[in-house]
Amino acid sequence: DLMEALVDCYFTRRIKAAWDRPWAGSFEPLEKFAKDFDVDGVIWYETIYRDGPDLQAWAFAKKFKAAGQSFVKIETDYTAAELGTMRTRIETFIELME
């Protein structure tokens, strides 16, 4: 059933968000998720001028790189003008992983 699958995915087996506190224990579920899906790289997407997520990006970047995954942080203020720059950064990130 589609509705049961959505509920299971979004509520029952929900992965703790990276910004949830405390940070301890936040990385392990994400690392397992990345390994289960054979992830080569992680894109960290955050809004600009947010110190909390920015600090977490630094910590998570170190952990993901130590686990063998590439990592890029993309900051945005959610304007349409950023679309081209964001697309270029993501395409470059993918090319560097190949």
Side-chain angles (χ1 to χ4, degrees):
D1 179 42
L2 179 60
M3 192 56 89
E4 286 180 23
L6 286 170
V7 168
D8 184 47
C9 178
Y10 285 104
F11 298 105
T12 308
R13 294 183 296 132
R14 180 180 166 261
I15 294 176
K16 183 178 177 181
W19 54 84
D20 286 346
R21 292 196 177 108
W23 292 358
S26 297
F27 179 72
E28 288 75 18
L30 294 175
E31 181 182 32
K32 182 183 181 315
F33 192 70
K35 286 182 181 177
D36 289 349
F37 286 92
D38 197 26
V39 170
D40 294 322
V42 175
I43 297 174
W44 183 279
Y45 182 75
E46 68 179 63
T47 55
I48 58 174
Y49 312 122
R50 300 287 311 266
D51 292 337
D54 203 36
L55 289 171
Q56 289 174 322
W58 177 80
F60 276 72
K62 285 180 64 173
K63 290 186 176 199
F64 274 113
K65 288 177 182 177
Q69 284 122 359
S70 298
F71 186 93
V72 66
K73 179 179 77 169
I74 296 178
E75 294 177 297
T76 182
D77 62 356
Y78 294 118
T79 61
E82 296 178 317
L83 184 60
T85 304
M86 195 176 309
R87 179 179 289 129
T88 301
R89 288 199 64 200
I90 293 170
E91 288 172 351
T92 302
F93 179 64
I94 292 169
E95 287 176 13
L96 288 173
M97 287 190 303
E98 293 176 346

